[in-house]
Amino acid sequence: MKPRPRHARRPRSLYAALAFISPWLVGLAAFTLYPIVASFYHSFCDYSVLQPAQFIGGANYADLVTDEVFWKTLRNTAFYAAFALPLGLVVSLGLALLLNTGVRGMTLYRTFFFLPSLVPFVALAVLWLWIFNGENGVLNYFLSLFGIHGPGWLADPRWTKPALVIAGTWGVGQAIVIYLAGLQDVPVHLYEAADLDGAGWWDKIRHVTLPMISPVILFNLVMGIIGTLQYFTVPYVMTPQGQPARSAYFYIMYLYDNAFVYLKMGYASAMAWILFLIIIFLTALALRLTARHVHYEGE
């Protein structure tokens, strides 16, 4: 029997491949591409879900410029990101360096630091509500042992954001795992060469470890930018409406309230696109500023 030419079999294999990936294509179109296009259109509409959308041009964006709550939530989010992002990067990197040593029982220590990141966010928020309780919370009790009178963490507007920064640092377990994967890929011969040159611990960290894991640091930085600007579940549970005095009212909380509490979907869509542009800008800025300091193997 004469074999069929290759070009005759190609369409059949192409159709089979398209059939296999069609569920993913349908999901991508229905749950990603359509919502993106729809939200962009609705950002120029007065849309309450219950009534058909009415095109109003750039009125939603113009209203945001004069919306004091919008600017308040933007400042709160910027404050949180400015402190939580570098703190999370430093803490997770420091813990990863410690967990990359050859101390006995290291697997147990790694599990201990990763477990908090598995706790559901709502349960985590309830836990921190108990820790930050100003009257009988664990944290203030611990401070009282040293003669320090702890503040009303979630009752004083001056302390709500610092409290949430501390709570946000609790979930650095996933970043630690990513750092550990990067640390274990650092070639051993580089450390051996550094030892021959008489390099100390800090010299090896500075001139070998950090340059070799710089792509991992950049990855965690970008993920951190996205995560801190979209901080939602924990503050939404711990500080409803960002109280007191909206001191912990973050951008995504206001976006959610506009969309699903006030049913102002067009307004919320405009906020979503502004946040998207902010994230794109900060990510591009981070990539540009770190371009000379990130070392990729093979360069």
Side-chain angles (χ1 to χ4, degrees):
M1 182 178 177
K2 186 177 180 181
R4 298 177 61 186
R6 179 175 298 179
H7 68 274
R9 296 197 299 268
R10 185 172 301 163
R12 189 173 180 180
S13 61
L14 176 62
Y15 296 147
L18 291 175
F20 274 112
I21 66 171
S22 59
W24 179 84
L25 290 175
V26 172
L28 176 68
F31 300 112
T32 301
L33 296 180
Y34 172 74
I36 289 174
V37 175
S39 70
F40 183 70
Y41 172 71
H42 288 147
S43 71
F44 297 97
C45 297
D46 180 8
Y47 182 42
S48 65
V49 181
L50 303 177
Q51 300 291 333
Q54 295 183 351
F55 188 79
I56 56 174
N60 286 327
Y61 294 95
D63 290 343
L64 282 172
V65 174
T66 58
D67 186 345
E68 293 182 0
V69 180
F70 167 78
W71 291 109
K72 176 79 172 177
T73 59
L74 199 58
R75 286 194 296 271
N76 287 341
T77 305
F79 179 96
Y80 174 80
F83 287 91
L85 179 58
L87 182 63
L89 288 173
V90 171
V91 170
S92 58
L93 178 58
L95 290 174
L97 290 171
L98 292 175
L99 295 173
N100 195 45
T101 57
V103 177
R104 187 176 181 181
M106 187 53 70
T107 303
L108 181 63
Y109 295 137
R110 291 174 180 175
T111 304
F112 175 78
F113 282 102
F114 182 68
L115 276 179
S117 63
L118 299 179
V119 178
F121 287 126
V122 174
L124 182 67
V126 174
L127 172 66
W128 280 104
L129 277 174
W130 175 61
I131 294 174
F132 284 129
N133 189 297
E135 296 181 358
N136 51 13
V138 174
L139 184 55
N140 279 358
Y141 172 76
F142 178 77
L143 293 175
S144 68
L145 297 178
F146 299 93
I148 301 173
H149 181 69
W153 293 95
L154 300 177
D156 188 339
R158 296 172 299 175
W159 287 97
T160 49
K161 286 190 284 293
L164 290 169
V165 169
I166 296 172
T169 311
W170 180 267
V172 297
Q174 294 182 355
I176 291 175
V177 171
I178 297 172
Y179 276 131
L180 279 173
L183 288 171
Q184 294 180 10
D185 280 343
V186 178
V188 178
H189 65 83
L190 294 180
Y191 291 119
E192 294 173 347
D195 287 333
L196 292 175
D197 291 338
W201 177 82
W202 173 244
D203 292 325
K204 286 188 282 188
I205 293 292
R206 182 182 174 186
H207 298 292
V208 177
T209 305
L210 292 181
M212 293 305 295
I213 66 168
S214 53
V216 181
I217 297 174
L218 176 61
F219 174 80
N220 279 332
L221 172 63
V222 173
M223 292 296 104
I225 291 172
I226 298 171
T228 52
L229 293 181
Q230 299 185 64
Y231 196 42
F232 173 71
T233 307
V234 173
Y236 198 81
V237 175
M238 292 178 64
T239 59
Q241 296 288 320
Q243 298 303 327
R246 288 176 173 162
S247 59
Y249 202 26
F250 291 115
Y251 192 92
I252 290 293
M253 296 166 65
Y254 188 43
L255 190 157
Y256 176 88
D257 286 343
N258 274 308
F260 301 106
V261 178
Y262 312 134
L263 297 181
K264 298 166 64 176
M265 283 291 177
Y267 203 67
S269 297
M271 289 187 66
W273 275 92
I274 289 175
L275 180 62
F276 173 72
L277 294 176
I278 292 173
I279 290 175
I280 290 293
F281 171 75
L282 293 178
T283 301
L285 183 64
L287 293 174
R288 184 176 181 81
L289 293 178
T290 59
R292 295 182 179 178
H293 306 286
V294 177
H295 170 77
Y296 293 99
E297 191 173 0
E299 284 186 341

